[in-house]
Amino acid sequence: MDIFEVLSAVSKRRIKLMKSGITKHKALIKAERVVSKEYHISLSDIQRLVGDKTKPGSL
């Protein structure tokens, strides 16, 4: 599995979760965890691929 497939999987999961009513930030966090477990990739590696995120309310 290459980088683009991982990013695509995270993106698809995030969109699916957002359609179910979860906020964008929470959906991204959950999508990263699900993809990490499903594809046996460390969560920290996935978070590095996705990039830095700002915490809600920190701006």
Side-chain angles (χ1 to χ4, degrees):
M1 176 164 249
D2 68 0
I3 294 170
F4 298 109
E5 291 172 330
V6 172
L7 291 174
S8 177
V10 170
S11 179
K12 288 176 184 177
R13 293 275 182 187
R14 181 182 59 88
I15 291 169
K16 186 182 287 187
L17 289 167
M18 286 173 50
K19 287 182 179 180
S20 71
I22 298 176
T23 65
K24 185 177 183 179
H25 182 72
K26 288 182 181 180
L28 177 60
I29 292 169
K30 287 184 180 189
E32 289 173 345
R33 288 183 185 153
V34 169
V35 171
S36 172
K37 288 179 182 178
E38 186 175 328
Y39 295 108
H40 305 287
I41 302 171
S42 72
L43 183 58
S44 62
D45 288 342
I46 291 178
Q47 289 172 336
R48 275 188 236 135
L49 286 174
V50 171
D52 293 331
K53 1 181 206 305
T54 58
K55 296 178 183 172
S58 65
L59 296 176

